[in-house]
Amino acid sequence: AFIGAMSQPGTILGGALFAAVAAGAGTGAAALWVGAVGTLVSGLLMLAAKPPLEAILEDHPHDV
């Protein structure tokens, strides 16, 4: 589902990566590495993303 959510480039890259890992380690390991590690990397990238400017400039009552 995660690979499909990334649209066409994600499907192509994810499918190629899955096929490469599955050829060497089997489909179970490929599902773990491509799915779980891909999701982890995506989550870390989202956590590292900058917040929108509106959130920075918003008034916070506890900051007074």
Side-chain angles (χ1 to χ4, degrees), residues 22-64:
T27 56
L32 176 66
W33 285 106
V34 175
V37 174
T39 302
L40 176 66
V41 170
S42 174
L44 292 174
L45 288 173
M46 287 187 282
L47 288 174
K50 289 175 53 175
L53 184 59
E54 296 85 25
I56 295 171
L57 298 176
E58 191 174 285
D59 289 333
H60 296 284
H62 62 276
D63 290 341
V64 178

